[in-house]
Amino acid sequence: MNSWLYDNDGYYANYKIIGKEGDFFTSVSTTSFFGGTIAKKIVDSIEEKSLSETCSIVEIGAHHGYLLADIIQFIYTLKPALLNSLNFIIIEKFESLQKKQKSYLYESFGDAINLTFYKDLSEVKLNEAFIVANEIFDAFTCELVYTKDNILHQAFVKENTILFHPCKDKNILNYCKKFNITKGEVALSYKSFIETLNKNIEKFIFITFDYGDNYARNDFSIRVYKNHKVYAFFDKSINVLQFYKNSDITYDVNFKYLIDIAHKLSLQTNFKTQAMALIDFGIVELLELLRKNVDENNYLKQTQKVKLLIEPTGMGDRFKMLEIRKLK
C-alpha cells in the first residue's frame, strides 16, 4: 500500500484531478462552503479565546490547495483583519504538489497571506495552531488481518499475490485483542502521528473528516476507486494489479483507535457525523449570510450543494468528524 500510494510513481506522487473528471469526489470538491464552515469554526475559536489571533492555520495534505483557499477566503469574509495576523502552513510530502499549491494560493491571494510549507509533521514546531486534515487517515498504510481456526493471520505480498500467514507481530496482536478485531485493517501508524502532533504543538485544535466509525466492523473495507467506480479489494472477478499505482486505495477509519490514543495523551476529543459537525460549526448561518448577498438562484444552487454534505443518506452520516483539542 505504501508503494502503491507514495512511491515516486505512486498514485499520490503526482497531481490528480478530484471531482467529476477524477476518480472520486470529496467534500472539498462539492462546495466551498465546506472550507467556509471550517473557517467559521476557526474565527469562533479565536473570538472565544481558545486560540489567539496570531496562531497558525495548518492543513495536512492539501492536494491542489482548494480547501485552504476556501478557508482563507471565508476568514476574509467573516473577519478580514485576521489575514494580517494568522500564519498559514501546508504540510505536503511531494514537491510537485507543493508547486501546484504555491502557484494556486499565490494566484488567489498574492502576498496577502503568510504561507509556509513543510514536508512532514515532524518538522513543525508551533506554540498554537488550528489543524485541519481532510481524508488523510484512510490513506495511512495498513495491515490486513483475518482469523482462521482461532489464529490471527496477517497479509503479505509475494510475486504480486496476497498470502495470509499466522501473525507474529506483537503490536498487531495486542491491537486486535484490545479492539476485538478478527478481520479487517490495522493502521498502527495513527499512534505516532497523534503523538507527534501532541509533542510538537503546545496548544491546538485538530479536526479531521473521514469515512469510518468509532468501532471496528470486523470485515474488510479496503477498496479501490477508479473513475468513480468502487472495487472491493478481494473481488475475485478483478485483477488488483491493474489498479496498482494508477487508482486510489482506501479503507474505513477506526476512529475508536484515534480517540483511544488521544485520551492516553490526556487530549480532549469530540466525535460526530459530518452533518452534525458542519451544522455545529455554523454552515446554516453561512447560508443565511449568503442569502442576504446574492440572488435566489445562486442561493438555491449553493443550498443544493451543501445538502450533499449533510444529507444522512449521503456524505452527512457516511463521513465522520473527529476533533482533538489541547488547550490547557
Side-chain angles (χ1 to χ4, degrees):
M1 185 171 179
N2 189 66
S3 62
W4 184 317
L5 295 177
Y6 300 111
D7 273 358
N8 290 333
D9 60 344
Y11 184 72
Y12 287 150
N14 296 295
Y15 179 74
K16 297 290 187 301
I17 296 173
I18 294 176
K20 189 179 293 184
E21 297 177 4
D23 291 320
F24 53 86
F25 286 98
T26 68
S27 295
V28 178
S29 61
T30 301
T31 170
S32 64
F33 274 74
F34 179 73
T37 307
I38 295 171
K40 188 175 187 308
K41 169 74 171 174
I42 292 169
V43 171
D44 289 346
S45 298
I46 292 171
E47 292 183 342
E48 293 163 2
K49 308 299 183 183
S50 296
L51 296 171
S52 76
E53 295 181 352
T54 58
C55 72
S56 296
I57 311 302
V58 182
E59 185 180 5
I60 303 175
H63 187 249
H64 192 99
Y66 292 140
L67 177 56
L68 188 60
D70 291 341
I71 290 171
I72 293 168
Q73 185 60 54
F74 273 80
I75 289 175
Y76 178 76
T77 299
L78 296 168
K79 198 169 183 179
L82 284 176
L83 293 192
N84 297 322
S85 60
L86 293 174
N87 301 296
F88 296 93
I89 293 172
I90 288 178
I91 300 175
E92 175 57 63
K93 175 180 179 179
F94 296 108
E95 289 186 8
S96 60
L97 295 183
Q98 279 193 18
K99 289 179 181 179
K100 288 276 187 182
Q101 295 154 4
K102 285 179 183 177
S103 176
Y104 178 68
L105 288 166
Y106 187 80
E107 287 173 7
S108 300
F109 305 106
D111 296 320
I113 60 170
N114 181 19
L115 179 63
T116 307
F117 285 81
Y118 294 93
K119 281 193 169 185
D120 191 82
L121 179 62
S122 62
E123 302 173 3
V124 181
K125 313 286 184 182
L126 298 170
N127 291 326
E128 57 175 336
F130 188 104
I131 308 122
V132 59
N134 186 51
E135 296 189 47
I136 65 159
F137 288 110
D138 63 23
F140 277 48
T141 56
C142 67
E143 303 292 337
L144 304 179
V145 299
Y146 91 106
T147 302
K148 180 181 179 183
D149 299 328
N150 294 319
I151 298 174
L152 189 75
H153 287 63
Q154 179 184 357
F156 296 88
V157 178
K158 184 177 181 181
E159 296 177 355
N160 297 322
T161 301
I162 298 169
L163 304 172
F164 282 88
H165 298 293
C167 180
K168 297 179 181 179
D169 188 314
K170 290 183 178 180
N171 290 324
I172 294 175
L173 291 169
N174 291 335
Y175 172 93
C176 292
K177 182 178 180 181
K178 179 172 184 175
F179 294 102
N180 298 313
I181 293 174
T182 58
K183 183 180 182 181
E185 297 82 26
V186 175
L188 297 179
S189 53
Y190 292 1
K191 185 173 184 288
S192 61
F193 176 90
I194 301 299
E195 287 176 342
T196 302
L197 190 71
N198 183 56
K199 179 182 177 182
N200 288 11
I201 305 177
E202 294 297 320
K203 182 179 182 182
F204 65 79
I205 297 173
F206 169 84
I207 62 169
T208 185
F209 294 83
D210 227 316
Y211 31 62
D213 223 313
N214 62 341
Y215 58 86
R217 291 177 50 195
N218 270 327
D219 199 0
F220 290 122
S221 64
I222 191 164
R223 55 199 180 272
V224 173
Y225 284 92
K226 184 70 176 176
N227 297 326
H228 297 286
K229 292 183 179 180
V230 185
Y231 301 89
F233 191 73
F234 290 105
D235 185 344
K236 293 181 180 179
S237 67
I238 65 169
N239 177 13
V240 174
L241 193 59
Q242 70 180 322
F243 297 108
Y244 182 57
K245 293 187 176 181
N246 62 31
S247 58
D248 192 26
I249 183 171
T250 183
Y251 58 91
D252 282 10
V253 174
N254 181 4
F255 282 99
K256 188 174 183 178
Y257 181 43
L258 285 167
I259 293 168
D260 181 74
I261 297 165
H263 288 175
K264 282 186 175 179
L265 296 170
S266 300
L267 304 174
Q268 297 176 315
T269 61
N270 181 17
F271 175 79
K272 56 185 63 177
T273 64
Q274 175 171 289
M276 289 303 302
L278 293 179
I279 291 169
D280 288 349
F281 290 177
I283 199 166
V284 175
E285 290 87 339
L286 288 183
L287 283 174
E288 286 303 309
L289 182 64
L290 178 71
R291 189 171 195 169
K292 295 176 183 177
N293 292 280
V294 301
D295 59 47
E296 191 72 9
N297 285 337
N298 281 329
Y299 168 73
L300 292 174
K301 184 178 179 179
Q302 284 300 328
T303 299
Q304 288 302 118
K305 291 181 179 180
V306 166
K307 281 182 179 179
L308 295 175
L309 297 182
I310 61 177
E311 281 182 340
T313 56
M315 290 180 167
D317 280 357
R318 181 75 177 97
F319 283 80
K320 308 298 190 301
M321 186 282 306
L322 177 63
E323 178 182 358
I324 301 177
R325 299 165 68 95
K326 179 186 178 184
L327 297 178
K328 293 182 180 180

